Amino acid sequence: MGTFTIEGGVFRLNGEEFRLLSGAMHYFRVHPDQWSHRLAMMRAMGLNTVETYVPWNLHEPRPGMYRHLDDLDRFLDAAAGADLHAIVRPGPYICAEWDNGGLPSWVTGRLRTSDPEFLAHVDRWFARLLPRVAARQITRGGNVLMVQVENEYGSYGSDTAYLRHLADAMRGCGIDVPLFTADGAEDHMLTGGSLPGVLATATFGSDPAAALDVLRRHRPDDPMVCMELWIGWFDHWGRGRVTRDAAEAAAMLEELLAAGASVNIYMAHGGTNFGTWAGANRDLETGAYLPTVTSYDYDAPISENGMATEKFRRFRNVLTRYNPAPEPPPAPPVLPPATVRLTESAALLPALPALARATVTGPTPPAFEDLGLDHGLVRYRVEVPGPRGPYPLVVDGLHDRAHVYVDGARVAVLDPVGQKEQQAVEVSGPATVELLVESLGRLNYGPLMGERKGVTGGIRHERQYLHGVTAEAVRLGDLRFGDAGEVPFRSGTAAAVPAFFRGAVTVEEPADTFLALPGWGHGYVWVNGFCLGRYWSIGPQRTLYVPGPLLRAGDNEIVILELDVAGEPVLELRPEPDLG
C-alpha cells in the first residue's frame, strides 16, 4: 500500500516529493499484444507515468451491454509491470478525437450537464467502471495516482453542479487518490471547468510560461501541471498532414520542466483509430465537417508502429535529466514488401437484405440511432410518385455521405468532405430513389456534439416530403468473413461497386506492415476479420497500419469494402507508412 498526496503545493509519493513525468497512450488504440512494448518505450523515454482515457461507448455499445472492460484492468497491470504509474481519465466525456467524445450514441438527456436523465446513465456506468480503477489505486497496492473529473469541461460548459456530482460519484465508487480537472489555460475555461477542492490542471501546446502564469493566478496553492502538452496533432480526411518540429517540441518540454511543472505529453504514443471509432470536428470558421483519419500517429515520439522517432530521441535527452531510464527495447519487426492479389468479389447492394437482417418501414426516414446502429451503412428507399417532371431531390439533415441511386443507377454522391460543391440531383416521377448513407464519425468536440447520423430530417422532391421510407442497416463491425462468413463471395473481381473484394497473403512469420490501396477510392479493410478502419484516396493518409498480432503464419484473409471506385485487384504491403 502507498500514498499519493498534495501537500504544500507539491505532489508527494509515499511522503517524498514527486514530479509527474507522464505520457498519453490509449489502450484502446493499441493491440493488447503490443502494450508491453509501447509501455517499455515510454519508460525508456524517461517517463514515470502513463495516462489513458476510458471510452464509455467502446465498453457499453448498447444500454446494459458491457464488453472488454478487463482491457483497462490488464493495461493498468501491464503499466505497473513496466515500472509506470498511471493516470486514468474516465470522462464520461473524453474528446480524444474519438467518436462522440466517448459518449455512447444511445445516451439521452442534456449531455454534459446536471440533467437527471443524463446523470442516471453516467451513474450506472461509473458504478460498473470505477470499482475496477479503485482496486488499482496506489492506496490499494496498485499504480493509479490520479483520476480526472470530466475533460476540458470549461471549453463549453459551466455547470458546477454537474462536475460536483461526478466528483462525488467517483468518491462514492471508492476513488480516494487525488481528483483533478483539465482545461485550456484561459480564464473562462478554468473558471468554467474547475471545481473547488479539486486539483486544476491546464492543457496547451505553446508558450508554457504564459500558460503557467494563468494557472498560478487561478490556483496559486496547487502543483503546476500541464495535463496535455500538445507535441503533435491529428489529421482530417481531405486536409494536409499536420506535424511539429522535433527540436521545437523538445524545447517546449524543456522549458516546462525547468519551470518546475509536472507534465503529461499528449501523445507519447498515438496508435490507431481502428474500425469506425475515429471522431470528427467542425471548422470553427466555415462550419465544414472534418472527419478524423484512421491513423492516430499524432506525430508522437513513439510512432504508430512503435518506432523511436527523432522526437523520441530529443525528448529522452530532456526527460532523463530528471528521471533515469533503461535502454529502449528492440524495434518491432516489419514484413518485407509484398502484394495481395484480390481474387473474389461480391456486390454490396444485392447482399444488403441478408446482411441487414431486418427492414424497417415508416413514414419518415429513421436515423441510425433509431435503428440501433452506431456506425455503418443504411440504405433508404422511397418512391417518387408520378407522372411528374424533374424536380430537385433534397435530403434534409444528411449525416454524412450518401450514394444516390435512381431506378437502380447511381446518379450522384452527396459528400460533405470530398466535394467542394454539392451535386444537384433532379428526378422525374415515377421513380425509385435509394440512398446508401455512410457515417464518418460523430463530432468529438464543440457545441454541436451529440449529433445523429443518417437522414435526420427528411427526403423531399422539390418542397414535397416523400413518405413510406424503408431502411436497411448494416453494422460494419459485426460483419463476419472467413469460411463461415455472411458475404456471398464469388470467384473474380468483376462485381460492380459498391462491393466487397477478397484476397489472401501468405506470411512466414507475422510482423507489422502497412497496407496501400493505389487506385482505390474509399472504403474499409478487414484483416482476418478485424476491421483496420477507413481508407480514402483524398488523403492525407495513404496506408493503413496492420499490427503484426493480427496476422498468422500461413494464409491471411484481406477483405475490402469499396464504395466509390475499384482499382486494379492488387494491393501492396509496405514496410513504411505513408501518412501524407
Side-chain angles (χ1 to χ4, degrees):
M1 305 301 174
T3 61
F4 186 72
T5 58
I6 300 172
E7 301 174 32
V10 299
F11 293 118
R12 293 194 178 274
L13 177 63
N14 299 323
E16 299 293 326
E17 188 170 336
F18 181 80
R19 186 202 296 247
L20 287 165
L21 301 175
S22 178
M25 170 184 161
H26 303 151
Y27 63 94
F28 46 91
R29 283 183 159 123
V30 181
H31 193 284
D33 290 354
Q34 298 173 320
W35 289 343
S36 60
H37 175 269
R38 306 305 193 258
L39 291 165
M41 288 289 290
M42 294 177 70
R43 180 67 190 89
M45 195 167 70
L47 301 175
N48 59 29
T49 305
V50 62
E51 172 269 307
T52 186
Y53 285 121
V54 180
W56 181 6
N57 52 7
L58 174 68
H59 294 300
E60 192 179 6
R62 288 181 277 285
M65 174 187 172
Y66 298 99
R67 63 181 184 183
H68 308 312
L69 277 171
D70 62 345
D71 281 1
L72 176 62
D73 305 346
R74 293 188 294 116
F75 178 74
L76 294 174
D77 293 345
D83 191 28
L84 290 168
H85 302 291
I87 297 170
V88 178
R89 305 169 79 182
Y93 163 78
I94 64 172
C95 185
E97 292 70 62
W98 190 257
D99 184 66
N100 212 32
L103 299 174
S105 60
W106 50 262
V107 165
T108 55
R110 299 180 186 273
L111 305 182
R112 304 180 73 194
T113 71
S114 53
D115 173 69
E117 184 178 351
F118 177 62
L119 289 181
H121 294 303
V122 174
D123 289 346
R124 188 182 67 252
W125 164 236
F126 273 8
R128 181 63 67 111
L129 169 70
L130 291 179
R132 294 172 172 269
V133 179
R136 285 166 173 78
Q137 296 174 111
I138 190 171
T139 53
R140 303 191 192 181
N143 61 331
V144 175
L145 300 182
M146 297 201 305
V147 175
Q148 180 171 294
V149 180
E150 243 274 355
N151 185 58
E152 294 185 319
Y153 184 68
S155 294
Y156 286 96
S158 58
D159 189 346
T160 303
Y162 167 57
L163 296 179
R164 176 54 61 191
H165 181 97
L166 296 182
D168 290 346
M170 289 175 174
R171 294 301 188 204
C173 289
I175 302 300
D176 56 22
V177 295
L179 301 177
F180 68 93
T181 58
D183 290 284
E186 298 186 36
D187 289 331
H188 70 288
M189 294 181 181
L190 285 165
T191 54
S194 60
L195 195 60
V198 172
L199 172 68
T201 70
T203 62
F204 52 86
S206 62
D207 200 351
L212 293 178
D213 282 347
V214 175
L215 191 56
R216 285 192 188 95
R217 187 168 66 249
H218 282 263
R219 291 297 183 90
D221 298 325
D222 282 355
M224 294 294 98
V225 183
C226 176
M227 189 47 64
E228 291 186 13
L229 183 66
W230 303 320
I231 53 77
W233 208 244
F234 51 91
D235 297 327
H236 292 121
W237 290 116
R239 298 289 178 101
R241 170 88 163 126
V242 182
T243 61
R244 184 165 193 176
D245 179 74
E248 177 195 19
M252 180 178 61
L253 173 63
E254 189 165 21
E255 180 184 350
L256 181 67
L257 296 181
S262 287
V263 67
N264 179 52
I265 295 168
Y266 196 97
M267 298 288 297
H269 172 56
T272 310
N273 296 311
F274 293 118
T276 56
W277 289 112
N281 290 282
R282 288 278 177 190
D283 188 298
L284 296 179
E285 295 183 0
T286 67
Y289 171 73
L290 303 172
T292 302
V293 303
T294 298
S295 173
Y296 201 65
D297 176 84
Y298 212 87
D299 195 29
I302 305 168
S303 73
E304 186 174 13
N305 63 323
M307 296 291 186
T309 66
E310 177 63 19
K311 199 171 285 182
F312 176 93
R313 289 180 279 275
R314 289 180 178 270
F315 281 24
R316 176 178 162 87
N317 288 339
V318 174
L319 291 164
T320 51
R321 295 181 214 154
Y322 299 87
N323 186 39
E327 289 299 311
V334 178
L335 289 181
T339 57
V340 181
R341 182 162 293 278
L342 303 173
T343 58
E344 298 175 285
S345 62
L348 170 65
L349 297 182
L352 257 176
L355 298 178
R357 299 188 181 88
T359 300
V360 174
T361 303
T364 58
F368 278 33
E369 293 74 16
D370 300 325
L371 299 167
L373 183 68
D374 45 11
H375 279 295
L377 301 169
V378 173
R379 176 168 63 179
Y380 298 94
R381 182 185 289 111
V382 69
E383 299 295 328
V384 177
R388 60 174 67 184
Y391 291 107
L393 184 76
V394 181
V395 184
D396 292 328
L398 174 62
H399 299 277
D400 295 301
R401 191 173 190 260
H403 291 73
V404 182
Y405 297 83
V406 177
D407 292 332
R410 186 165 71 179
V411 298
V413 178
L414 306 180
D415 184 352
V417 180
Q419 295 174 188
K420 293 183 179 179
E421 294 184 4
Q422 195 75 305
Q423 285 181 256
V425 181
E426 289 201 339
V427 180
S428 301
T432 300
V433 171
E434 295 171 293
L435 304 174
L436 182 65
V437 178
E438 174 196 8
S439 56
L440 295 172
R442 288 181 180 80
L443 300 182
N444 53 257
Y445 184 80
L448 300 178
M449 274 187 53
E451 63 177 349
R452 288 158 66 82
K453 292 299 184 182
V455 179
T456 62
I459 304 171
R460 291 186 284 121
H461 197 218
E462 202 251 351
R463 75 196 68 182
Q464 183 186 78
Y465 281 103
L466 302 175
H467 300 289
V469 183
T470 64
E472 300 161 297
V474 176
R475 181 177 285 105
L476 295 177
D478 288 351
L479 292 177
R480 295 194 301 270
F481 301 104
D483 294 338
E486 306 162 295
V487 177
F489 285 105
R490 295 185 179 181
S491 180
T493 57
V497 169
F500 294 95
F501 297 85
R502 181 163 66 176
V505 62
T506 302
V507 172
E508 291 186 9
E509 187 171 346
D512 290 349
T513 187
F514 295 89
L515 179 68
L517 301 95
W520 294 76
H522 169 75
Y524 299 80
V525 177
W526 290 261
V527 174
N528 292 329
F530 181 90
C531 186
L532 294 182
R534 300 183 184 95
Y535 65 90
W536 204 341
S537 61
I538 63 174
Q541 181 177 357
R542 301 289 182 182
T543 56
L544 293 177
Y545 173 50
V546 183
L550 294 180
L551 301 173
R552 53 182 176 246
D555 290 341
N556 294 266
E557 179 190 60
I558 311 292
V559 174
I560 69 173
L561 171 59
E562 173 58 55
L563 299 173
D564 286 3
V565 57
E568 293 297 319
V570 179
L571 312 180
E572 299 176 7
L573 296 181
R574 300 178 181 175
E576 302 257 344
D578 181 354
L579 298 179

